[in-house]
């Protein structure tokens, strides 16, 4: 191929690629993709169609994508398959350490509904008794942080237990069948284990440490569609305020969307706290402590600064 022909072909290819990217961007502008789990404000937001009602006049549709835990949601968000979603404190730390294209958009303090469970007839009576035991949790999830800080409280180290990395759907049967000695988990799985799987609460997270959940956005989405992201955060905040005042309706919404029985979701809803707000300096400091702890233990490959990926709406 002659050089001139090669250059012409290259220009045509580049132009086609640019047009393709432009068409994709235009298509993306008509849809927002929300990642959610079987709990929390986003489930309520979906059930009430709050985002759909808000964005319909703008010609923007909403696509909901369910995840069993935070780590796979972060992977999807990193590659741009999800624009916005809710996770616990640990997934965004692992994601940031891996260079993922994500930012913190909002935060929600967690006040209840998570901790470590053991079987009702277990000889484990204190945190110290976890030494040498098989503790199940999802790697890179908020439960991962709970396990680490719980062990520290009793003077134990991560090496004192046998961590068993399981997703919530896999951990439930393992807990019920004796495959693990203890399970660190959050609602509604926490409530399911308590009521249906003969679980006994060893520790509640709130008695161990302050924790937060976060609303995370894809970095490019936040950069290029900041006004839309702010609207999503505003709707999320409004949904949280509604949920705080209507726990019974929240339980019904959670049950309808997730398929988890109403009695379980009622337990989860009535002990949950719903309060979405900005990522404050205090929350950043708490999250930084988690990140520093993970680095010290060798769970993430490098030190990170949480503040570096906190999104601030440039229009505010």
């Amino acid at each position: 191929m002659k050089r001139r022909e090669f250059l012409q072909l290259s220009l045509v290819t580049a132009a086609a690629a640019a047009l393709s990217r432009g068409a994709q961007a235009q298509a993306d502008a008509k849809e927002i993709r929300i990642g959610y789990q079987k709990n929390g404000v986003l489930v309520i937001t979906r059930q009430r169609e709050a985002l759909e009602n808000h964005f319909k006049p703008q010609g923007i549709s909403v696509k909901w994508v369910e995840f069993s835990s935070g780590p796979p949601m972060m992977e999807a968000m990193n590659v741009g398959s999800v624009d916005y979603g809710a996770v616990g404190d640990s997934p965004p730390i692992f994601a940031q350490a891996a260079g993922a294209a994500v930012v913190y958009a909002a935060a929600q303090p967690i006040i209840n509904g998570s901790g470590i469970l053991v079987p009702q007839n277990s000889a484990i009576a204190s945190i110290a008794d976890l030494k040498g035991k098989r503790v199940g949790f999802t790697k890179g999830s908020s439960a991962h942080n709970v396990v680490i800080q719980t062990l520290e409280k009793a003077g134990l180290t991560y090496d004192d237990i046998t961590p068993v990395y399981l997703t919530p759907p896999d951990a439930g049967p393992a807990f019920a069948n004796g495959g693990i000695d203890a399970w660190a988990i959050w609602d509604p799985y926490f409530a399911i284990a308590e009521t249906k799987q003969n679980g006994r609460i060893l520790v509640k997270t709130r008695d161990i440490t302050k924790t937060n959940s976060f609303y995370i956005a894809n970095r490019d989405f936040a950069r290029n569609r900041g006004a839309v992201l702010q609207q999503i955060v505003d709707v999320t905040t409004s949904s949280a305020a509604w949920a705080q005042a209507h726990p019974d309706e929240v339980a019904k919404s959670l049950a309808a969307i997730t398929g988890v029985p109403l009695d379980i979701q009622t337990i989860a809803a009535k002990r949950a706290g719903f309060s979405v707000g900005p990522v404050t300096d205090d929350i950043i400091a708490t999250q930084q402590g988690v990140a520093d702890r993970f680095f010290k233990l060798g769970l993430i490959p490098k030190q990170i600064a949480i503040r570096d990926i906190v999104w601030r709406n440039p229009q505010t």
Side-chain angles (χ1 to χ4, degrees):
M1 181 183 292
K2 294 181 180 179
R3 183 172 182 273
R4 178 177 295 176
E5 292 173 340
F6 174 79
L7 289 173
Q8 288 175 338
L9 179 59
S10 298
L11 289 171
V12 169
T13 302
L19 286 171
S20 176
R21 288 194 299 270
Q24 182 62 47
Q26 187 174 5
D28 289 346
K30 298 299 181 182
E31 179 182 75
I32 53 176
R33 298 156 298 180
I34 309 295
Y36 72 102
Q37 300 180 55
K38 288 184 180 293
N39 60 2
V41 172
L42 289 185
V43 174
I44 300 153
T45 303
R46 181 187 179 190
Q47 177 66 5
R48 300 181 70 225
E49 299 185 348
L51 284 171
E52 287 84 349
N53 293 333
H54 177 85
F55 283 109
K56 186 176 181 180
Q58 301 177 44
I60 299 174
S61 63
V62 181
K63 178 181 179 182
W64 294 90
V65 185
E66 183 180 335
F67 295 87
S68 63
S69 62
M73 189 190 302
M74 292 294 89
E75 293 174 12
M77 192 172 291
N78 175 50
V79 299
S81 298
V82 175
D83 301 314
Y84 179 85
V87 296
D89 54 7
S90 300
I93 289 173
F94 281 86
Q96 183 180 1
V102 300
V103 295
Y104 293 90
Q108 179 179 341
I110 300 300
I111 62 172
N112 214 334
S114 68
I116 299 178
L117 297 156
V118 296
Q120 198 68 240
N121 60 356
S122 172
I124 299 172
S126 68
I127 300 171
D129 293 335
L130 290 174
K131 187 172 183 178
K133 299 298 190 294
R134 300 160 299 173
V135 182
F137 54 92
T138 302
K139 185 177 183 179
S141 70
S142 59
H144 201 155
N145 177 41
V146 170
V147 169
I148 291 168
Q149 296 209 44
T150 298
L151 294 173
E152 287 182 358
K153 194 174 184 71
L156 299 178
T157 71
Y158 199 59
D159 293 331
D160 285 324
I161 65 164
T162 299
V164 182
Y165 301 134
L166 296 167
T167 63
D170 292 330
F175 180 77
N177 298 329
I180 53 178
D181 301 304
W183 184 18
I185 192 59
W186 55 86
D187 272 335
Y189 305 102
F190 192 72
I192 292 172
E194 280 183 89
T195 59
K196 307 294 185 182
Q197 296 171 321
N198 206 30
R200 168 168 54 86
I201 298 175
L202 180 67
V203 293
K204 295 179 180 178
T205 299
R206 68 180 184 184
D207 296 329
I208 298 297
T209 184
K210 289 194 302 183
T211 58
N212 302 282
S213 63
F214 292 94
Y215 295 86
I216 308 296
N218 171 270
R219 184 177 60 209
D220 292 336
F221 180 81
R223 179 187 299 126
N224 299 327
R225 303 182 69 190
V228 171
L229 175 55
Q230 185 61 62
Q231 292 176 67
I232 298 172
V233 171
D234 291 343
V235 172
T236 303
T237 303
S238 296
S239 293
W242 180 89
Q244 191 69 45
H246 300 86
D248 291 331
E249 287 88 344
V250 166
K252 293 176 184 177
S253 292
L254 292 172
I257 287 290
T258 65
V260 175
L262 179 59
D263 61 331
I264 298 295
Q265 291 291 19
T266 298
I267 294 171
K270 289 193 173 181
R271 67 186 177 193
F274 301 99
S275 178
V276 175
V279 184
T280 64
D281 288 341
D282 181 62
I283 290 173
I284 291 172
T286 298
Q287 187 73 341
Q288 187 65 53
V290 178
D292 293 345
R293 184 175 292 105
F294 283 1
F295 175 70
K296 183 179 178 181
L297 291 171
L299 295 172
I300 58 175
K302 63 181 181 180
Q303 286 187 307
I304 58 173
I306 300 300
R307 192 177 297 275
D308 288 349
I309 64 165
V310 175
W311 177 70
R312 303 295 186 195
N313 187 348
Q315 296 180 348
T316 60

